[in-house]
Amino acid sequence: MKKDERRLKVGILGCGPIAQAAHFESATKARNADLYAICDVADDLRNRMAATHAPAKSYARYEEMLADPELEAVVIATSDSFHVPATVQALRAGKHVLCEKPLGISVEEVESLREVVAKSGKTLQVGHMKRFDAGLQSAKSFIDTEMGELLALKAWYCDSTHRYAMTDAVQPLMVKSANARKPAQDPKADLERYYMLAHGCHLLDTARYFGGEIVEVEARLRNRFGAYCWFIDVAFASGALGHLDLTVAVRMDWHEGFQIYGQNGSVIGKTYNPWYYKTSDVDIFREATGETTRILGADGHFYRRQLEGFADTILNGTAMTGADVEDGIASVRGMAAIAQSVKSGKSVKLVDVTGSV
Ligand SMILES: NC(=O)c1ccc[n+]([C@@H]2O[C@H](COP(=O)([O-])OP(=O)(O)OC[C@H]3O[C@@H](n4cnc5c(N)ncnc54)[C@H](O)[C@@H]3O)[C@@H](O)[C@H]2O)c1
């Protein structure tokens, strides 16, 4: 792959599954970035990844990686509860940050980031990589320039019971280590919370990417035969109606997509399991011409495209099209509001919400 002359020197914190499946390859393939450093406390894992991906530097301690004057940016690829502290450390060390989603696990901790980002003068982007799916980008461009008023939006994100058969077939074999640093509490101990943090944050970000600010949610949850289904009524600030469906896991293929009803046309999208690196099928219907168009999006590497967008913002001042700190905060507020609405049976305003997801 052709590389630009000026490239962002990126360090990746964490050599776990997401780094192995997405970030190492993204940094080595990116046109405008290099895999400058990797970091993991687990020596066996880090050494194996260093041998495979050949970064210039390899660090056991995060502080040491951050103290490297040549390092320009970090990708935070660790467990959710480490995101905010690791982001703060990097910004204070003068490094730009691409932090995996969700930005954090409580409203208060993500709110605290706003000021740290502003003071640092550095770029913080959140890893809502679906914003770099060319299909979703084509819908966004239609919404912003041609669609007129939004009437309603429906979006669904339904993980499949067959997802590991699918991902095992296409991802590299994951290298694990008994020495990896994990949070004190196993994130999968509470599946309701884990599914919301892992998957719900994507659904909320997609809804906000298209529909704008969400102000209120009313959510119901059913748990049957081990499957969790959230149906969420959403009020957008624009007055448009929204309905979100998060189901983990459906007894069928991966099922993700959206429908958007606008003044001058409509959009229907089908999104694939991300590890297939296949751009969503997004059909845009224009009322004026009576025609439907669909972009091919031959380059479906959302994670590499996300890193390239991040690097473009830093190196060339290109406007950020990824999720910024406000988007990251809004997604966490949305998840916390959904959890509270499920508990109380009432609708919850996002401005009122506090506490953990
Ligand atoms: N965008 C997506 O599609 C997507 C998909 C899957 C996972 N994710 C996100 O990725 C993150 C999880 O990644 P994972 O499953 O690879 O995590 P993991 O916990 O399995 O691995 C993280 C690695 O980081 C290391 N580490 C943690 N803190 C460290 C520190 N301070 N210093 C040095 N090393 C440290 C650990 O030793 C571990 O090896 C989650 O936030 C998850 O939401 C995103």
PDB file of all heavy atoms in Angstrom, residues 13-19 39-42 45 60 62 77-80 82-83 100-102 127 129 179-182 197-198 202 274-275 303, ligand 1:
ATOM      1  N   LEU A  13      -1.749   1.091  22.742  1.00  0.00           N
ATOM      2  CA  LEU A  13      -1.783   0.580  24.113  1.00  0.00           C
ATOM      3  C   LEU A  13      -2.688  -0.633  24.141  1.00  0.00           C
ATOM      4  O   LEU A  13      -3.891  -0.533  23.902  1.00  0.00           O
ATOM      5  CB  LEU A  13      -2.322   1.650  25.082  1.00  0.00           C
ATOM      6  CG  LEU A  13      -2.557   1.115  26.514  1.00  0.00           C
ATOM      7  CD1 LEU A  13      -1.242   0.699  27.178  1.00  0.00           C
ATOM      8  CD2 LEU A  13      -3.284   2.146  27.372  1.00  0.00           C
ATOM      9  N   GLY A  14      -2.090  -1.784  24.462  1.00  0.00           N
ATOM     10  CA  GLY A  14      -2.856  -3.031  24.529  1.00  0.00           C
ATOM     11  C   GLY A  14      -2.589  -3.880  23.301  1.00  0.00           C
ATOM     12  O   GLY A  14      -2.670  -3.392  22.166  1.00  0.00           O
ATOM     13  N   CYS A  15      -2.238  -5.139  23.545  1.00  0.00           N
ATOM     14  CA  CYS A  15      -1.997  -6.083  22.436  1.00  0.00           C
ATOM     15  C   CYS A  15      -3.048  -7.185  22.455  1.00  0.00           C
ATOM     16  O   CYS A  15      -2.789  -8.315  22.048  1.00  0.00           O
ATOM     17  CB  CYS A  15      -0.600  -6.691  22.565  1.00  0.00           C
ATOM     18  SG  CYS A  15       0.726  -5.501  22.319  1.00  0.00           S
ATOM     19  N   GLY A  16      -4.237  -6.858  22.948  1.00  0.00           N
ATOM     20  CA  GLY A  16      -5.311  -7.849  23.048  1.00  0.00           C
ATOM     21  C   GLY A  16      -6.039  -8.055  21.728  1.00  0.00           C
ATOM     22  O   GLY A  16      -5.560  -7.624  20.663  1.00  0.00           O
ATOM     23  N   PRO A  17      -7.194  -8.707  21.763  1.00  0.00           N
ATOM     24  CA  PRO A  17      -7.911  -9.076  20.541  1.00  0.00           C
ATOM     25  C   PRO A  17      -8.206  -7.916  19.584  1.00  0.00           C
ATOM     26  O   PRO A  17      -8.031  -8.072  18.375  1.00  0.00           O
ATOM     27  CB  PRO A  17      -9.218  -9.670  21.077  1.00  0.00           C
ATOM     28  CG  PRO A  17      -8.901 -10.130  22.458  1.00  0.00           C
ATOM     29  CD  PRO A  17      -7.829  -9.244  22.982  1.00  0.00           C
ATOM     30  N   ILE A  18      -8.639  -6.768  20.098  1.00  0.00           N
ATOM     31  CA  ILE A  18      -9.018  -5.699  19.156  1.00  0.00           C
ATOM     32  C   ILE A  18      -7.775  -5.135  18.458  1.00  0.00           C
ATOM     33  O   ILE A  18      -7.832  -4.780  17.276  1.00  0.00           O
ATOM     34  CB  ILE A  18      -9.866  -4.586  19.835  1.00  0.00           C
ATOM     35  CG1 ILE A  18     -10.430  -3.609  18.801  1.00  0.00           C
ATOM     36  CG2 ILE A  18      -9.079  -3.817  20.877  1.00  0.00           C
ATOM     37  CD1 ILE A  18     -11.401  -4.189  17.820  1.00  0.00           C
ATOM     38  N   ALA A  19      -6.646  -5.077  19.183  1.00  0.00           N
ATOM     39  CA  ALA A  19      -5.411  -4.625  18.537  1.00  0.00           C
ATOM     40  C   ALA A  19      -4.981  -5.645  17.485  1.00  0.00           C
ATOM     41  O   ALA A  19      -4.601  -5.282  16.365  1.00  0.00           O
ATOM     42  CB  ALA A  19      -4.314  -4.424  19.586  1.00  0.00           C
ATOM     43  N   CYS A  39       2.497  -1.345  23.231  1.00  0.00           N
ATOM     44  CA  CYS A  39       2.677  -1.389  24.679  1.00  0.00           C
ATOM     45  C   CYS A  39       1.738  -2.421  25.266  1.00  0.00           C
ATOM     46  O   CYS A  39       0.545  -2.439  24.941  1.00  0.00           O
ATOM     47  CB  CYS A  39       2.395  -0.004  25.260  1.00  0.00           C
ATOM     48  SG  CYS A  39       2.439   0.054  27.068  1.00  0.00           S
ATOM     49  N   ASP A  40       2.283  -3.278  26.116  1.00  0.00           N
ATOM     50  CA  ASP A  40       1.442  -4.186  26.901  1.00  0.00           C
ATOM     51  C   ASP A  40       2.270  -4.672  28.084  1.00  0.00           C
ATOM     52  O   ASP A  40       3.467  -4.935  27.935  1.00  0.00           O
ATOM     53  CB  ASP A  40       0.961  -5.393  26.070  1.00  0.00           C
ATOM     54  CG  ASP A  40      -0.309  -6.005  26.641  1.00  0.00           C
ATOM     55  OD1 ASP A  40      -0.278  -6.483  27.805  1.00  0.00           O
ATOM     56  OD2 ASP A  40      -1.345  -5.991  25.949  1.00  0.00           O
ATOM     57  N   VAL A  41       1.628  -4.778  29.240  1.00  0.00           N
ATOM     58  CA  VAL A  41       2.329  -5.293  30.431  1.00  0.00           C
ATOM     59  C   VAL A  41       2.666  -6.768  30.274  1.00  0.00           C
ATOM     60  O   VAL A  41       3.590  -7.258  30.936  1.00  0.00           O
ATOM     61  CB  VAL A  41       1.495  -5.114  31.728  1.00  0.00           C
ATOM     62  CG1 VAL A  41       1.415  -3.667  32.144  1.00  0.00           C
ATOM     63  CG2 VAL A  41       0.109  -5.725  31.583  1.00  0.00           C
ATOM     64  N   ALA A  42       1.941  -7.468  29.448  1.00  0.00           N
ATOM     65  CA  ALA A  42       2.174  -8.913  29.271  1.00  0.00           C
ATOM     66  C   ALA A  42       3.352  -9.123  28.318  1.00  0.00           C
ATOM     67  O   ALA A  42       3.225  -8.943  27.105  1.00  0.00           O
ATOM     68  CB  ALA A  42       0.914  -9.575  28.731  1.00  0.00           C
ATOM     69  N   LEU A  45       2.946 -11.680  25.305  1.00  0.00           N
ATOM     70  CA  LEU A  45       2.052 -11.169  24.256  1.00  0.00           C
ATOM     71  C   LEU A  45       2.732 -10.046  23.461  1.00  0.00           C
ATOM     72  O   LEU A  45       2.714 -10.022  22.216  1.00  0.00           O
ATOM     73  CB  LEU A  45       0.780 -10.658  24.937  1.00  0.00           C
ATOM     74  CG  LEU A  45      -0.362 -10.186  24.071  1.00  0.00           C
ATOM     75  CD1 LEU A  45      -0.804 -11.263  23.108  1.00  0.00           C
ATOM     76  CD2 LEU A  45      -1.541  -9.769  24.951  1.00  0.00           C
ATOM     77  N   ALA A  60       6.789  -2.074  27.866  1.00  0.00           N
ATOM     78  CA  ALA A  60       5.996  -2.790  28.867  1.00  0.00           C
ATOM     79  C   ALA A  60       5.176  -1.787  29.680  1.00  0.00           C
ATOM     80  O   ALA A  60       4.079  -2.091  30.129  1.00  0.00           O
ATOM     81  CB  ALA A  60       6.898  -3.580  29.805  1.00  0.00           C
ATOM     82  N   TYR A  62       3.253   1.864  30.098  1.00  0.00           N
ATOM     83  CA  TYR A  62       2.560   2.917  29.348  1.00  0.00           C
ATOM     84  C   TYR A  62       3.257   4.264  29.547  1.00  0.00           C
ATOM     85  O   TYR A  62       3.448   5.024  28.595  1.00  0.00           O
ATOM     86  CB  TYR A  62       1.104   2.969  29.834  1.00  0.00           C
ATOM     87  CG  TYR A  62       0.174   3.882  29.075  1.00  0.00           C
ATOM     88  CD1 TYR A  62       0.246   4.014  27.688  1.00  0.00           C
ATOM     89  CD2 TYR A  62      -0.826   4.588  29.747  1.00  0.00           C
ATOM     90  CE1 TYR A  62      -0.643   4.843  27.013  1.00  0.00           C
ATOM     91  CE2 TYR A  62      -1.716   5.408  29.077  1.00  0.00           C
ATOM     92  CZ  TYR A  62      -1.612   5.545  27.710  1.00  0.00           C
ATOM     93  OH  TYR A  62      -2.487   6.360  27.040  1.00  0.00           O
ATOM     94  N   ALA A  77      -6.478   0.559  23.238  1.00  0.00           N
ATOM     95  CA  ALA A  77      -7.150  -0.693  22.887  1.00  0.00           C
ATOM     96  C   ALA A  77      -7.160  -1.608  24.107  1.00  0.00           C
ATOM     97  O   ALA A  77      -6.582  -2.702  24.084  1.00  0.00           O
ATOM     98  CB  ALA A  77      -6.442  -1.348  21.703  1.00  0.00           C
ATOM     99  N   THR A  78      -7.773  -1.108  25.175  1.00  0.00           N
ATOM    100  CA  THR A  78      -7.839  -1.863  26.428  1.00  0.00           C
ATOM    101  C   THR A  78      -9.295  -1.995  26.851  1.00  0.00           C
ATOM    102  O   THR A  78     -10.187  -1.420  26.238  1.00  0.00           O
ATOM    103  CB  THR A  78      -7.113  -1.105  27.560  1.00  0.00           C
ATOM    104  OG1 THR A  78      -7.810   0.126  27.781  1.00  0.00           O
ATOM    105  CG2 THR A  78      -5.666  -0.799  27.206  1.00  0.00           C
ATOM    106  N   SER A  79      -9.487  -2.684  27.940  1.00  0.00           N
ATOM    107  CA  SER A  79     -10.814  -2.853  28.525  1.00  0.00           C
ATOM    108  C   SER A  79     -11.462  -1.487  28.820  1.00  0.00           C
ATOM    109  O   SER A  79     -10.764  -0.522  29.148  1.00  0.00           O
ATOM    110  CB  SER A  79     -10.622  -3.645  29.816  1.00  0.00           C
ATOM    111  OG  SER A  79     -11.784  -4.283  30.168  1.00  0.00           O
ATOM    112  N   ASP A  80     -12.788  -1.421  28.713  1.00  0.00           N
ATOM    113  CA  ASP A  80     -13.529  -0.153  28.818  1.00  0.00           C
ATOM    114  C   ASP A  80     -13.171   0.679  30.053  1.00  0.00           C
ATOM    115  O   ASP A  80     -13.059   1.900  29.975  1.00  0.00           O
ATOM    116  CB  ASP A  80     -15.045  -0.415  28.902  1.00  0.00           C
ATOM    117  CG  ASP A  80     -15.588  -1.168  27.699  1.00  0.00           C
ATOM    118  OD1 ASP A  80     -14.864  -1.282  26.691  1.00  0.00           O
ATOM    119  OD2 ASP A  80     -16.737  -1.647  27.779  1.00  0.00           O
ATOM    120  N   PHE A  82     -10.546   1.085  31.600  1.00  0.00           N
ATOM    121  CA  PHE A  82      -9.229   1.752  31.558  1.00  0.00           C
ATOM    122  C   PHE A  82      -9.205   2.926  30.567  1.00  0.00           C
ATOM    123  O   PHE A  82      -8.207   3.640  30.485  1.00  0.00           O
ATOM    124  CB  PHE A  82      -8.127   0.758  31.154  1.00  0.00           C
ATOM    125  CG  PHE A  82      -7.962  -0.416  32.089  1.00  0.00           C
ATOM    126  CD1 PHE A  82      -7.677  -1.681  31.590  1.00  0.00           C
ATOM    127  CD2 PHE A  82      -8.074  -0.258  33.464  1.00  0.00           C
ATOM    128  CE1 PHE A  82      -7.503  -2.773  32.438  1.00  0.00           C
ATOM    129  CE2 PHE A  82      -7.908  -1.347  34.328  1.00  0.00           C
ATOM    130  CZ  PHE A  82      -7.623  -2.614  33.814  1.00  0.00           C
ATOM    131  N   HIS A  83     -10.283   3.109  29.789  1.00  0.00           N
ATOM    132  CA  HIS A  83     -10.226   4.108  28.702  1.00  0.00           C
ATOM    133  C   HIS A  83      -9.981   5.528  29.196  1.00  0.00           C
ATOM    134  O   HIS A  83      -9.102   6.221  28.672  1.00  0.00           O
ATOM    135  CB  HIS A  83     -11.536   4.088  27.887  1.00  0.00           C
ATOM    136  CG  HIS A  83     -11.682   2.855  27.041  1.00  0.00           C
ATOM    137  ND1 HIS A  83     -12.776   2.627  26.236  1.00  0.00           N
ATOM    138  CD2 HIS A  83     -10.880   1.781  26.852  1.00  0.00           C
ATOM    139  CE1 HIS A  83     -12.638   1.477  25.601  1.00  0.00           C
ATOM    140  NE2 HIS A  83     -11.502   0.944  25.970  1.00  0.00           N
ATOM    141  N   GLU A 100     -10.696   3.492  21.902  1.00  0.00           N
ATOM    142  CA  GLU A 100     -11.751   2.525  21.563  1.00  0.00           C
ATOM    143  C   GLU A 100     -13.078   2.925  22.213  1.00  0.00           C
ATOM    144  O   GLU A 100     -13.108   3.620  23.219  1.00  0.00           O
ATOM    145  CB  GLU A 100     -11.352   1.107  22.023  1.00  0.00           C
ATOM    146  CG  GLU A 100     -10.839   0.224  20.905  1.00  0.00           C
ATOM    147  CD  GLU A 100     -11.806   0.106  19.723  1.00  0.00           C
ATOM    148  OE1 GLU A 100     -13.007   0.409  19.859  1.00  0.00           O
ATOM    149  OE2 GLU A 100     -11.347  -0.276  18.639  1.00  0.00           O
ATOM    150  N   LYS A 101     -14.152   2.497  21.608  1.00  0.00           N
ATOM    151  CA  LYS A 101     -15.481   2.731  22.161  1.00  0.00           C
ATOM    152  C   LYS A 101     -15.767   1.704  23.241  1.00  0.00           C
ATOM    153  O   LYS A 101     -15.180   0.619  23.184  1.00  0.00           O
ATOM    154  CB  LYS A 101     -16.554   2.685  21.090  1.00  0.00           C
ATOM    155  CG  LYS A 101     -16.530   1.550  20.082  1.00  0.00           C
ATOM    156  CD  LYS A 101     -16.480   0.121  20.444  1.00  0.00           C
ATOM    157  CE  LYS A 101     -17.532  -0.508  21.292  1.00  0.00           C
ATOM    158  NZ  LYS A 101     -17.377  -1.980  21.438  1.00  0.00           N
ATOM    159  N   PRO A 102     -16.647   1.933  24.191  1.00  0.00           N
ATOM    160  CA  PRO A 102     -17.222   3.235  24.526  1.00  0.00           C
ATOM    161  C   PRO A 102     -16.162   4.111  25.199  1.00  0.00           C
ATOM    162  O   PRO A 102     -15.206   3.593  25.765  1.00  0.00           O
ATOM    163  CB  PRO A 102     -18.329   2.869  25.520  1.00  0.00           C
ATOM    164  CG  PRO A 102     -17.821   1.629  26.199  1.00  0.00           C
ATOM    165  CD  PRO A 102     -17.046   0.876  25.164  1.00  0.00           C
ATOM    166  N   GLY A 127     -13.467   5.519  19.015  1.00  0.00           N
ATOM    167  CA  GLY A 127     -13.440   4.468  17.994  1.00  0.00           C
ATOM    168  C   GLY A 127     -14.794   3.959  17.517  1.00  0.00           C
ATOM    169  O   GLY A 127     -14.985   2.745  17.382  1.00  0.00           O
ATOM    170  N   MET A 129     -16.108   3.257  14.735  1.00  0.00           N
ATOM    171  CA  MET A 129     -15.533   3.125  13.382  1.00  0.00           C
ATOM    172  C   MET A 129     -16.586   3.025  12.287  1.00  0.00           C
ATOM    173  O   MET A 129     -16.270   3.164  11.107  1.00  0.00           O
ATOM    174  CB  MET A 129     -14.550   1.952  13.342  1.00  0.00           C
ATOM    175  CG  MET A 129     -15.158   0.581  13.168  1.00  0.00           C
ATOM    176  SD  MET A 129     -16.298   0.115  14.485  1.00  0.00           S
ATOM    177  CE  MET A 129     -16.946  -1.407  13.833  1.00  0.00           C
ATOM    178  N   ASN A 179      -0.862 -13.141  31.508  1.00  0.00           N
ATOM    179  CA  ASN A 179      -0.306 -11.964  32.187  1.00  0.00           C
ATOM    180  C   ASN A 179      -0.987 -10.655  31.789  1.00  0.00           C
ATOM    181  O   ASN A 179      -0.545  -9.584  32.200  1.00  0.00           O
ATOM    182  CB  ASN A 179       1.186 -11.848  31.853  1.00  0.00           C
ATOM    183  CG  ASN A 179       1.923 -13.133  32.174  1.00  0.00           C
ATOM    184  OD1 ASN A 179       1.729 -13.687  33.245  1.00  0.00           O
ATOM    185  ND2 ASN A 179       2.737 -13.617  31.242  1.00  0.00           N
ATOM    186  N   ALA A 180      -2.024 -10.738  30.954  1.00  0.00           N
ATOM    187  CA  ALA A 180      -2.704  -9.523  30.504  1.00  0.00           C
ATOM    188  C   ALA A 180      -3.336  -8.808  31.694  1.00  0.00           C
ATOM    189  O   ALA A 180      -3.807  -9.445  32.636  1.00  0.00           O
ATOM    190  CB  ALA A 180      -3.779  -9.877  29.482  1.00  0.00           C
ATOM    191  N   ARG A 181      -3.337  -7.465  31.621  1.00  0.00           N
ATOM    192  CA  ARG A 181      -3.957  -6.671  32.692  1.00  0.00           C
ATOM    193  C   ARG A 181      -5.454  -6.573  32.438  1.00  0.00           C
ATOM    194  O   ARG A 181      -5.884  -6.117  31.380  1.00  0.00           O
ATOM    195  CB  ARG A 181      -3.325  -5.280  32.722  1.00  0.00           C
ATOM    196  CG  ARG A 181      -3.784  -4.490  33.919  1.00  0.00           C
ATOM    197  CD  ARG A 181      -3.157  -3.118  33.961  1.00  0.00           C
ATOM    198  NE  ARG A 181      -3.992  -2.306  34.854  1.00  0.00           N
ATOM    199  CZ  ARG A 181      -4.178  -1.007  34.752  1.00  0.00           C
ATOM    200  NH1 ARG A 181      -3.572  -0.334  33.809  1.00  0.00           N
ATOM    201  NH2 ARG A 181      -4.946  -0.378  35.600  1.00  0.00           N
ATOM    202  N   LYS A 182      -6.218  -7.017  33.427  1.00  0.00           N
ATOM    203  CA  LYS A 182      -7.684  -7.015  33.299  1.00  0.00           C
ATOM    204  C   LYS A 182      -8.283  -6.210  34.446  1.00  0.00           C
ATOM    205  O   LYS A 182      -7.682  -6.134  35.517  1.00  0.00           O
ATOM    206  CB  LYS A 182      -8.213  -8.461  33.393  1.00  0.00           C
ATOM    207  CG  LYS A 182      -7.713  -9.370  32.268  1.00  0.00           C
ATOM    208  CD  LYS A 182      -8.502  -9.163  30.999  1.00  0.00           C
ATOM    209  CE  LYS A 182      -7.956 -10.019  29.862  1.00  0.00           C
ATOM    210  NZ  LYS A 182      -8.576  -9.758  28.588  1.00  0.00           N
ATOM    211  N   LEU A 197     -22.712  -1.861  26.806  1.00  0.00           N
ATOM    212  CA  LEU A 197     -21.449  -1.141  26.581  1.00  0.00           C
ATOM    213  C   LEU A 197     -20.782  -1.560  25.266  1.00  0.00           C
ATOM    214  O   LEU A 197     -20.278  -0.717  24.514  1.00  0.00           O
ATOM    215  CB  LEU A 197     -20.480  -1.401  27.750  1.00  0.00           C
ATOM    216  CG  LEU A 197     -20.802  -0.675  29.061  1.00  0.00           C
ATOM    217  CD1 LEU A 197     -20.021  -1.282  30.225  1.00  0.00           C
ATOM    218  CD2 LEU A 197     -20.489   0.826  28.950  1.00  0.00           C
ATOM    219  N   ALA A 198     -20.797  -2.856  24.990  1.00  0.00           N
ATOM    220  CA  ALA A 198     -20.088  -3.355  23.808  1.00  0.00           C
ATOM    221  C   ALA A 198     -20.829  -3.034  22.513  1.00  0.00           C
ATOM    222  O   ALA A 198     -20.204  -2.663  21.512  1.00  0.00           O
ATOM    223  CB  ALA A 198     -19.874  -4.864  23.923  1.00  0.00           C
ATOM    224  N   HIS A 202     -22.529   1.386  19.862  1.00  0.00           N
ATOM    225  CA  HIS A 202     -22.489   1.497  18.388  1.00  0.00           C
ATOM    226  C   HIS A 202     -23.852   1.953  17.854  1.00  0.00           C
ATOM    227  O   HIS A 202     -23.946   2.818  16.989  1.00  0.00           O
ATOM    228  CB  HIS A 202     -22.174   0.140  17.740  1.00  0.00           C
ATOM    229  CG  HIS A 202     -20.724  -0.226  17.739  1.00  0.00           C
ATOM    230  ND1 HIS A 202     -19.751   0.594  17.223  1.00  0.00           N
ATOM    231  CD2 HIS A 202     -20.084  -1.347  18.154  1.00  0.00           C
ATOM    232  CE1 HIS A 202     -18.573  -0.007  17.328  1.00  0.00           C
ATOM    233  NE2 HIS A 202     -18.741  -1.184  17.891  1.00  0.00           N
ATOM    234  N   PRO A 274     -18.851  -6.589  11.228  1.00  0.00           N
ATOM    235  CA  PRO A 274     -17.735  -5.712  10.847  1.00  0.00           C
ATOM    236  C   PRO A 274     -16.492  -6.455  10.366  1.00  0.00           C
ATOM    237  O   PRO A 274     -15.739  -5.938   9.537  1.00  0.00           O
ATOM    238  CB  PRO A 274     -17.424  -4.929  12.132  1.00  0.00           C
ATOM    239  CG  PRO A 274     -18.113  -5.659  13.235  1.00  0.00           C
ATOM    240  CD  PRO A 274     -19.281  -6.356  12.621  1.00  0.00           C
ATOM    241  N   TRP A 275     -16.302  -7.684  10.852  1.00  0.00           N
ATOM    242  CA  TRP A 275     -15.053  -8.388  10.535  1.00  0.00           C
ATOM    243  C   TRP A 275     -15.027  -8.895   9.105  1.00  0.00           C
ATOM    244  O   TRP A 275     -14.012  -9.400   8.633  1.00  0.00           O
ATOM    245  CB  TRP A 275     -14.801  -9.488  11.569  1.00  0.00           C
ATOM    246  CG  TRP A 275     -14.760  -8.826  12.910  1.00  0.00           C
ATOM    247  CD1 TRP A 275     -15.702  -8.870  13.893  1.00  0.00           C
ATOM    248  CD2 TRP A 275     -13.761  -7.888  13.372  1.00  0.00           C
ATOM    249  NE1 TRP A 275     -15.344  -8.051  14.936  1.00  0.00           N
ATOM    250  CE2 TRP A 275     -14.168  -7.440  14.647  1.00  0.00           C
ATOM    251  CE3 TRP A 275     -12.562  -7.398  12.827  1.00  0.00           C
ATOM    252  CZ2 TRP A 275     -13.416  -6.526  15.384  1.00  0.00           C
ATOM    253  CZ3 TRP A 275     -11.820  -6.498  13.561  1.00  0.00           C
ATOM    254  CH2 TRP A 275     -12.256  -6.073  14.826  1.00  0.00           C
ATOM    255  N   TYR A 303     -11.616   0.221  10.130  1.00  0.00           N
ATOM    256  CA  TYR A 303     -10.659   0.531  11.202  1.00  0.00           C
ATOM    257  C   TYR A 303      -9.451   1.284  10.632  1.00  0.00           C
ATOM    258  O   TYR A 303      -8.958   2.214  11.248  1.00  0.00           O
ATOM    259  CB  TYR A 303     -10.202  -0.752  11.904  1.00  0.00           C
ATOM    260  CG  TYR A 303     -11.343  -1.490  12.574  1.00  0.00           C
ATOM    261  CD1 TYR A 303     -12.009  -2.516  11.920  1.00  0.00           C
ATOM    262  CD2 TYR A 303     -11.757  -1.148  13.852  1.00  0.00           C
ATOM    263  CE1 TYR A 303     -13.058  -3.196  12.524  1.00  0.00           C
ATOM    264  CE2 TYR A 303     -12.802  -1.817  14.474  1.00  0.00           C
ATOM    265  CZ  TYR A 303     -13.445  -2.849  13.803  1.00  0.00           C
ATOM    266  OH  TYR A 303     -14.486  -3.508  14.400  1.00  0.00           O
TER     267      TYR A 303
HETATM  268  N1  LIG B   1     -14.716  -1.003  17.589  1.00  0.00           N
HETATM  269  C1  LIG B   1     -15.002  -2.281  17.618  1.00  0.00           C
HETATM  270  O1  LIG B   1     -15.597  -2.828  16.711  1.00  0.00           O
HETATM  271  C2  LIG B   1     -14.552  -3.111  18.792  1.00  0.00           C
HETATM  272  C3  LIG B   1     -14.622  -4.491  18.715  1.00  0.00           C
HETATM  273  C4  LIG B   1     -14.185  -5.230  19.800  1.00  0.00           C
HETATM  274  C5  LIG B   1     -13.689  -4.595  20.927  1.00  0.00           C
HETATM  275  N2  LIG B   1     -13.661  -3.232  20.974  1.00  0.00           N
HETATM  276  C6  LIG B   1     -13.202  -2.522  22.182  1.00  0.00           C
HETATM  277  O2  LIG B   1     -11.846  -2.834  22.443  1.00  0.00           O
HETATM  278  C7  LIG B   1     -11.640  -2.862  23.850  1.00  0.00           C
HETATM  279  C8  LIG B   1     -11.225  -4.234  24.331  1.00  0.00           C
HETATM  280  O3  LIG B   1     -10.157  -4.697  23.660  1.00  0.00           O
HETATM  281  P1  LIG B   1      -9.620  -6.163  23.988  1.00  0.00           P
HETATM  282  O4  LIG B   1     -10.723  -7.154  24.034  1.00  0.00           O
HETATM  283  O5  LIG B   1      -8.514  -6.358  23.036  1.00  0.00           O
HETATM  284  O6  LIG B   1      -9.106  -5.952  25.522  1.00  0.00           O
HETATM  285  P2  LIG B   1      -8.255  -6.920  26.442  1.00  0.00           P
HETATM  286  O7  LIG B   1      -8.548  -6.496  27.832  1.00  0.00           O
HETATM  287  O8  LIG B   1      -8.438  -8.361  26.075  1.00  0.00           O
HETATM  288  O9  LIG B   1      -6.740  -6.552  26.053  1.00  0.00           O
HETATM  289  C9  LIG B   1      -6.168  -5.353  26.430  1.00  0.00           C
HETATM  290  C10 LIG B   1      -4.645  -5.516  26.599  1.00  0.00           C
HETATM  291  O10 LIG B   1      -4.155  -4.291  27.111  1.00  0.00           O
HETATM  292  C11 LIG B   1      -3.188  -4.508  28.103  1.00  0.00           C
HETATM  293  N3  LIG B   1      -3.210  -3.380  29.042  1.00  0.00           N
HETATM  294  C12 LIG B   1      -4.296  -2.866  29.690  1.00  0.00           C
HETATM  295  N4  LIG B   1      -3.939  -1.802  30.420  1.00  0.00           N
HETATM  296  C13 LIG B   1      -2.601  -1.636  30.239  1.00  0.00           C
HETATM  297  C14 LIG B   1      -1.660  -0.687  30.728  1.00  0.00           C
HETATM  298  N5  LIG B   1      -2.009   0.305  31.547  1.00  0.00           N
HETATM  299  N6  LIG B   1      -0.371  -0.801  30.334  1.00  0.00           N
HETATM  300  C15 LIG B   1       0.008  -1.792  29.499  1.00  0.00           C
HETATM  301  N7  LIG B   1      -0.846  -2.718  29.005  1.00  0.00           N
HETATM  302  C16 LIG B   1      -2.140  -2.641  29.368  1.00  0.00           C
HETATM  303  C17 LIG B   1      -3.607  -5.821  28.753  1.00  0.00           C
HETATM  304  O11 LIG B   1      -2.488  -6.478  29.348  1.00  0.00           O
HETATM  305  C18 LIG B   1      -4.234  -6.586  27.587  1.00  0.00           C
HETATM  306  O12 LIG B   1      -3.315  -7.469  26.980  1.00  0.00           O
HETATM  307  C19 LIG B   1     -12.966  -2.617  24.512  1.00  0.00           C
HETATM  308  O13 LIG B   1     -13.056  -1.280  24.908  1.00  0.00           O
HETATM  309  C20 LIG B   1     -13.963  -2.934  23.419  1.00  0.00           C
HETATM  310  O14 LIG B   1     -15.172  -2.212  23.566  1.00  0.00           O
HETATM  311  C21 LIG B   1     -14.064  -2.494  19.917  1.00  0.00           C
END
